Structures are given as C-alpha cells and as structure tokens.
C-alpha cells in the first residue's frame, strides 16, 4: 500500500511539473530525455573503439619488437602468410653504367619455346658484351607451333633486364629513330649464326659485319654459342643473365606465389614435366601406346610443318634408343619403382596431354593427388594467359624451381634449363631419367622377365647418382650435340652461390 501511494504521488508530481512547464516546454523536455541517452551510448562506443585500436597497435608494435613471444606467430584473420619464391632474383643496387665505344647495334630474333629462347637471350647478351655493341631487346618467336603473340615485356621484366646489366652492356628497347628508319627500308644485314660457335667466330665473322652495316640482325639464336672452351668471364656472365637479369613479370611472379602457397599448405610436392603433348610426339615421331588413328594424326601434323625436317620415323627404334618421352603409363611405373610416396602432390607441368584422361588413367590410379595449374586456380586467374603458351610455361617454370623434387620425362629445353637453375639454387633434387635403360627394364617387367622387386631395385640403383648432385659437364670434342648442355649444369658459376653474380671483366 505504501509503495502504491508513493507511485501515485510521483505521477501527480509529474503532472504538476507538466502544468508548470507549459505546453511549449513539454516537447523540449521529452526530446532532451530521449536524445541524451543515445548520444551518451554513441560516445561510449566511439571512445571504446579508439581505445581498443590503440591497444592493438601497441601490441603489434611490441610483437615486432619482441618477436614470437607476443603476436608475431599468430595467424592473420585477413590474409594468408606470404610465400617467398626462392628463385626470384634479389633486388640489387643499381650498378654504374659501363662506358665503351659502341661498334654498332645487334638485333636478334629468338626461335623456339620459352626455355629455348631464354638460353638464347643469355648467349646474345654475352656476345653483345664481348663485341662492344648495343643490344636491342630481343624479339620473341611468334611463328612457331604455339603461335604465341607475347612480346619480351609480356614475360620478362624488361626494365630490370636493361638496368641490371647496364654495367656490362647497353640495351635499348628499340633502335634510335634514324637507324629504325633504315631498318624499315631494309638497309641492314641479317643472317643465322653458325651453331655451337666459340667466341672467335663472333670476333672474326660477326663483328666486321656489325661495323660495316651498323645494324646486324641475327635471325636464329638457339644453340649458337658453344657449351665449353669459352673464357670463364663469358660463362659467369651467361649465369648472371639467366639467374638475375631474366626476371619474370610481377603478374607471373604473383601467380606463381599463389600456386606454390596452395601446394605448400598441403605439404611437399613433386613437379612432373610430362612432355607428352601432341606437338612433341609429332615432332619426335614417338607414338608408343597410341592407336592407329592417333599415329596417322601425328604423322599428318609432322608433314604439315616443313621446318620439322625428319619425316619418316621409326617410333619403336627411337624409343629403344631412349629418344622418346616416357608415356604416362611408363612414368607411373618409374615413379613407383623410385619409391615416390603414393599420396604426394604431383603438379603436372605440361600442356594438354595427348589422349587426355584415357592416357592419364594409369598415372592417376597410381598417384591420386595429381594437380595442374588449371585445377588449383580459378579460370579468371588464367584468362589473360590463355593462348599465350610462353606465359603458361613461365608459370610452370617458377613452380618447378620451387618443388621438392623435379622429374622431367624428356630432356628438352625446359628440363635442361630448370635442372641447371635448380643446381644454382643449391642442388635441389632433380631426377634425370635414363630413358634408354628404363624402357628396356619396363618391357622386361611387362613381359614377366623381371619381378617387381628386381625392377624397382634396378631403377633405384641406376638413378642413385642422377639426382642433380654436383658434377662437371661432360665434354665431347667436335660433337657439341652429344655433350652436356651448359644451361643444364653451369658448374663454373656454382661456386658463387654465396657471392654476388658479377663477372670479372677488366
């Protein structure tokens, strides 16, 4: 009763206040009572937010100062941890320009796929340096089987290429206007240099042509400089160009980081360079495991390209000689025999496999964790790389360098150049398959002459010293095609792993 009376008294007091205030002030009182409460709440929230952010910033600063004892090891909610590619050249201080008397201008048109052109570019820069000429940024092949329209700057960081080598040779993106006009009028000299030539050929045969015509165009550049017998300064410069100056564009590097991060999140991975695309089989004449329709299709393709000189090819004979890429079925047996973990991630670095899923069935059954860039990335990530085979190959190249194991099924240009680059990065494990031995062992196993244990132990024993370990190149005098390729094993440069890549010209 007492509480009710007090309540009623309070109501009466409120009504009396209303009357005293008058009608005009009632609304003001109500509004002030309604607005003050949210205003106070908003102020409290704002102050609390500022204080919280201040605390976070201070804690992050302490984390940077004290290291993993605080926040440094905590996973981020907003981004994935960054993946650094060990193969990316480190940023170097801009070297001073080299001043020299210019003997003329050298234009080069590269031929072949990405890694064939990569090695050729290294050779041409070294030659330009030795001849004291100005090099024009090389033109890439656009007329080969792949019909890739990519320019140099679409694949490589052209500004890094020019500036990182400016203490060795002057490189321009294009000829000066006066000389460019002369070239457009056809007033220049063009020729393919002789393959596997030593430096004296360029001094006595090529330099006089540059001095006479001022602009010389070399229209084929693959394998035009010898593997061996060159001054050590030239060999070191070839390495510096390959491992430092030829840096991929930031777009290719970023996509490479993304692929490697996705792979690393699931553990170790092996890159399999499965060179079993249609063009490779047509060019080499290798049709083991193909049906009659496929053999005819490959033959028609070989005859359709006049610059593929060999037309009539005995496929089985070439296979027995170890001159064919391993088939997917053969590759599955070899990887199992080598003791590769069945569940390891295997990244297929290749184009479209001839025969599609039918030919990949055995490999996929033996190693179910097969992945490709197309399965790891969204279509939108690769849309700008479509119909640009060299840019696709550049991405595979980066991933190959970062892999725990690299296994090529054919010793083509990519296999060789990646092997040499992995040696430079610290002799990373690269299994160089002895195909001539392997196809013989595979045939014996398939016909029952060898048990699985015998087959596996022989394969392992034969490849124990073919894992990318240090060794000198094999030199075959007067037979450069049969000797070890410089870019597969640039041993002159490998003692420089802890030193900056600088040549020692005087």
């Amino acid at each position: 009763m007492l509480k009710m009376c007090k309540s009623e008294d309070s109501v009466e007091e409120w009504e009396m206040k209303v009357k005293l205030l008058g009608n005009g002030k009632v609304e003001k009182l109500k509004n002030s009572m309604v607005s003050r409460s949210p205003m106070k709440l908003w102020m409290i929230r704002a102050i609390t937010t500022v204080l919280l952010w201040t605390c976070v910033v201070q804690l992050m600063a302490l984390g940077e100062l004290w290291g993993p004892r605080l926040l440094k090891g905590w996973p981020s909610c907003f981004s994935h941890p960054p993946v650094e590619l060990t193969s990316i050249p480190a940023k170097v201080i801009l070297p001073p320009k080299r001043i020299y008397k210019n003997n003329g201008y050298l234009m080069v048109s590269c031929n072949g796929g990405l890694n064939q052109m990569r090695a050729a570019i290294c050779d041409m820069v070294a030659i330009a340096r030795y001849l004291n000429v100005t090099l024009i940024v090389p033109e890439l092949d656009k007329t080969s089987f792949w019909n890739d329209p990519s320019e140099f700057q679409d694949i490589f960081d052209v500004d890094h290429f020019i500036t990182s080598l400016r203490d060795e040779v002057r490189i321009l993106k294009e000829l000066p206007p006066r000389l460019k006009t002369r070239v457009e009028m056809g007033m220049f000299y063009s020729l393919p240099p002789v393959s596997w030539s030593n430096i004296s050929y360029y001094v006595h045969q090529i330099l006089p042509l540059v001095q006479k015509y001022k602009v010389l165009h070399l229209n084929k550049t693959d394998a035009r400089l010898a593997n061996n017998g060159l001054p050590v300064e030239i060999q070191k410069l070839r390495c510096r160009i390959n491992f430092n100056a030829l840096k991929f564009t930031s777009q290719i590097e970023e996509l490479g980081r993304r692929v490697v991060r996705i792979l690393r999140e699931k553990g170790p991975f092996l890159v399999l360079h499965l060179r079993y695309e249609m063009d490779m089989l047509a060019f080499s004449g290798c049709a083991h495991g193909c049906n009659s329709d496929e053999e005819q299709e490959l033959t028609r393709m070989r005859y359709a390209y006049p610059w593929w000189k060999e037309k009539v090819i005995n496929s089985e004979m070439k296979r027995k000689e170890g001159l064919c890429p391993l088939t997917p079925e053969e590759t599955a047996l070899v990887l199992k025999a080598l003791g590769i973990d069945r569940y390891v991630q295997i990244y297929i670095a290749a184009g479209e496999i001839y025969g599609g899923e039918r030919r990949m069935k055995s490999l996929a059954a033996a190693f179910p964790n097969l992945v490709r860039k197309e399965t790891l990335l969204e279509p939108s990530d690769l849309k700008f790389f479509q119909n640009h085979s060299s840019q696709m190959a550049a991405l595979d190249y980066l991933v190959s360098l970062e892999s725990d194991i690299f296994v090529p099924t054919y010793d083509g240009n990519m296999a060789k150049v990646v092997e040499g680059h992995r040696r430079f990065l610290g002799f990373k494990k690269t299994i160089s398959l002895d195909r001539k031995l392997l196809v013989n062992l595979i045939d014996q196993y398939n016909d029952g002459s060898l048990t699985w244990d015998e087959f596996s132990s022989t394969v392992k024993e034969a490849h124990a010293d073919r894992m990318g370990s240090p060794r000198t190149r094999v030199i075959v005098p007067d037979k450069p095609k049969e000797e070890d390729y410089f870019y597969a094993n640039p041993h002159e440069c490998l003692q420089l792993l802890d030193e900056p890549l600088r040549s020692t010209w005087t």
Side-chain angles (χ1 to χ4, degrees), residues 178-214:
R178 181 178 59 84
L179 292 175
K180 188 177 181 181
T181 301
R182 289 183 59 185
V183 168
E184 289 170 351
M185 296 171 62
M187 299 171 63
F188 68 99
Y189 194 83
S190 180
L191 81 160
V194 176
S195 300
W196 310 112
S197 296
N198 60 28
I199 204 65
S200 65
Y201 163 80
Y202 288 94
V203 172
H204 297 111
Q205 301 293 324
I206 299 301
L207 181 58
L209 293 173
V210 178
Q211 293 171 326
K212 179 179 179 180
Y213 294 98
K214 299 304 177 186

Side-chain angles (χ1 to χ4, degrees), residues 488-504:
N489 184 18
H491 65 77
E492 295 92 334
C493 311
L494 302 184
Q495 74 272 20
L496 303 176
L497 287 174
D498 297 323
E499 303 174 16
L501 261 178
R502 286 285 181 271
S503 60
T504 56

Side-chain angles (χ1 to χ4, degrees), residues 9 183 213 255 265:
D9 290 345
V183 168
Y213 294 98
L255 208 55
E265 285 176 349

